[in-house]
Amino acid sequence: MKQNRREFLKKTLKATTAATALTATSLIASSKMANDADGNGVVKGKSNKKEVLYRKTQMWEQYYKVAY
């Protein structure tokens, strides 16, 4: 009886280890694809939205007058 339990545990452990390794490999591969960068380290996204960094407003004009 003990021999059967030991064999069962050995087989289960091997299957679990294989499944864990396969899952870890697929997660690593998918994370590398999501963070592909060009030569200078900048990650390029797939969004077609225009990035707005500055919009000329009255508040910004007041800030620049005080800052300079």
Side-chain angles (χ1 to χ4, degrees):
M1 190 67 166
K2 285 185 179 182
Q3 189 65 22
N4 289 338
R5 282 189 274 172
R6 287 181 182 161
E7 290 300 319
F8 173 75
L9 288 174
K10 285 181 184 178
K11 289 178 183 178
T12 305
L13 182 61
K14 286 180 184 178
T16 304
T17 305
T20 303
L22 182 63
T23 304
T25 304
S26 65
L27 286 175
I28 291 170
S30 66
S31 67
K32 285 183 180 177
M33 291 174 58
N35 294 329
D36 285 341
D38 63 358
N40 62 359
V42 177
V43 177
K44 292 184 178 181
K46 296 179 182 178
S47 176
N48 57 0
K49 293 181 182 178
K50 183 179 177 183
E51 184 177 5
V52 178
L53 299 176
Y54 170 76
R55 196 172 284 159
K56 192 172 184 177
T57 62
Q58 185 180 6
M59 292 296 285
W60 278 114
E61 292 299 320
Q62 290 176 354
Y63 170 78
Y64 285 128
K65 286 179 184 176
V66 172
Y68 293 115

